[in-house]
Amino acid sequence: MTTPRTPRTPPAGRLVLPGVLTAAQAAETVAGIRAQQCDDGAIPWFRGHHLDPWDHTEAAMALDAAGEHEAAARAYDWLREHQNDDGSWYAAYQDGDPARPTDRGRETNFTAYVAVGTWHHWLTTRDPAFLDRMWPVVRAALDFVVRLQQPGGEIGWKREADGTPVTDALLTGCSSVHHALRCGLAIAEERGEPQPDWELAAGALAHAIRHHPERFLDKSRYSMDWYYPVLGGAVTGAAARARLDERWDEFVVPGLGVRCVLPNPWVTGGESCELALALWAAGDPERAHEVLRSIGHLRAGDGMYWTGYVFEDRAVWPEERTTWTAGSLLLAVAALGGDEPTRAVFGGTDLPEGLAPDCCGPG
């Protein structure tokens, strides 16, 4: 059982980064996310659009980094109250309405991410009652995910609406799942309830990500497949820095941000902020700061951020300002600004490792 600890009060200025965000701007962005949150805690992309569980959780973590712990807790309560019997959530809900799922597929990385958010909220608040409530949710979610692991370590990316498992694996999604399994193991350690199946799953998955790209669908045109093995903690140290250097010139547009997909002349805020987090985790805060500065042009007058910009046409596209884009910006700023829980979650230095699979052999 957990024991009460003193909640952490976010130090002033942790969401301030020169050339990226002032205190007043940060407050505007946080208020913008809060304005899109529904009364029951759901955080859709924006009101009238859909909610997906991954982006909902990303926005909740940003609220915690900003000190909005009650709003974040309501977001996690939404997940707890509307989890499917098999531990999953549907891929999309109209305006966050649990009675109106618009995509009944159940994606593994969407489902797993609750473990990352739960660990972040616990590190931020040290609220034992919250961990008591969310532990069964996390356990069911990760058990759902692990059941879709393939013999090579990769994890199938979803179950269809009729329950049929899809065995094809996505490198980006599996990298996010690897991160979630490690956060889940950290929660299990805190609870004193070991989960050896998760340890084995995380170890085999990390091995597949590092050494077997052929086990994943080829999405190498997408920048996420470039940086996510680093962001998800499967590739670290010198290997992480080498990976990020290798395709830098392909994906990074100086002064504008990071391309979403090659060869499209389209930079996106979410990918740019995630790359910044990956750079910071790999020990390159200078370039992380550079990338965050470059997307200032995506900031809208209300403090939210446009999803992307087509630089050949000099046009914002699509014309939407999403909670998850703003959330990823706040989390990246929090990590670079020294917010300890955010650094612990995305830096990964204190997260448990999975068990190396037997196929690795000695060393």
Side-chain angles (χ1 to χ4, degrees):
M1 290 290 291
T2 55
T3 54
R5 302 187 190 178
T6 303
R8 184 192 67 92
T9 301
R14 284 289 165 84
L15 290 181
V16 173
L17 199 63
V20 178
L21 211 59
T22 66
Q25 288 174 327
E28 272 190 329
T29 303
V30 173
I33 296 174
R34 286 291 309 275
Q36 302 305 313
Q37 187 173 28
C38 304
D39 291 342
D40 64 355
I43 308 177
W45 285 22
F46 49 87
R47 293 309 305 268
H49 204 278
H50 76 257
L51 173 152
D52 73 70
W54 197 102
D55 290 315
H56 166 90
T57 301
E58 184 87 340
M61 285 195 287
L63 291 175
D64 264 329
E68 297 283 349
H69 306 314
E70 182 179 344
R74 289 195 296 114
Y76 293 114
D77 284 341
W78 188 93
L79 291 171
R80 179 175 57 84
E81 291 165 5
H82 304 300
Q83 188 173 31
N84 293 323
D85 290 342
D86 64 0
S88 70
W89 291 271
Y90 295 126
Y93 300 82
Q94 179 60 36
D95 201 29
D97 184 347
R100 292 192 292 162
T102 54
D103 182 348
R104 290 181 179 269
R106 288 159 283 163
E107 299 189 19
T108 46
N109 72 302
F110 281 13
T111 294
Y113 208 51
V114 67
V116 180
T118 297
W119 184 239
H120 184 257
H121 187 83
W122 161 251
L123 291 177
T124 303
T125 65
R126 299 292 182 175
D127 178 1
F130 170 80
L131 210 59
D132 288 344
R133 291 195 305 273
M134 290 302 294
W135 171 239
V137 177
V138 170
R139 190 171 55 201
L142 292 183
D143 284 347
F144 168 85
V145 169
V146 168
R147 286 194 292 270
L148 282 169
Q149 189 160 38
Q150 304 304 304
E154 72 278 18
I155 290 177
W157 75 279
K158 71 172 181 176
R159 284 190 183 274
E160 300 284 11
D162 64 2
T164 302
V166 176
T167 57
D168 290 333
L170 301 172
L171 180 59
T172 292
C174 282
S175 297
S176 180
V177 168
H178 175 261
H179 187 198
L181 284 168
R182 294 180 69 201
C183 289
L185 287 168
I187 298 169
E189 284 191 4
E190 182 68 32
R191 300 278 308 176
E193 299 185 37
Q195 301 294 315
D197 287 351
W198 300 355
E199 292 184 69
L200 291 167
L205 180 57
H207 179 76
I209 292 169
R210 292 170 190 148
H211 303 296
H212 291 283
E214 77 280 0
R215 294 178 184 169
F216 303 92
L217 294 176
D218 183 7
K219 301 289 183 181
S220 57
R221 293 174 53 229
Y222 291 82
S223 59
M224 289 191 295
D225 265 26
W226 164 51
Y227 64 74
Y228 241 96
V230 178
L231 182 58
V235 178
T236 59
R241 292 187 288 274
R243 184 181 183 93
L244 295 177
D245 286 344
E246 184 179 10
R247 304 191 69 186
W248 182 269
D249 292 336
E250 293 180 65
F251 286 115
V252 177
V253 183
L256 291 178
V258 177
R259 292 178 190 254
C260 176
V261 57
L262 297 173
N264 298 3
W266 181 44
V267 295
T268 49
E271 277 79 356
S272 299
C273 295
E274 288 181 337
L275 174 61
L277 268 174
L279 286 163
W280 170 79
D284 193 349
E286 292 79 12
R287 282 202 297 184
H289 197 166
E290 172 191 329
V291 169
L292 292 179
R293 283 197 302 266
S294 74
I295 61 168
H297 65 101
L298 294 177
R299 186 177 176 87
D302 62 356
M304 297 295 278
Y305 286 78
W306 298 105
T307 296
Y309 177 76
V310 181
F311 50 85
E312 282 189 355
D313 297 336
R314 299 183 181 181
V316 166
W317 184 84
E319 292 190 10
E320 60 183 31
R321 303 181 301 281
T322 52
T323 51
W324 51 266
T325 299
S328 65
L329 183 281
L330 292 175
L331 288 170
V333 169
L336 267 69
D339 182 68
E340 292 178 6
T342 304
R343 287 186 161 208
V345 167
F346 289 99
T349 53
D350 295 327
L351 291 176
E353 298 286 351
L355 294 176
D358 291 341
C359 63
C360 297

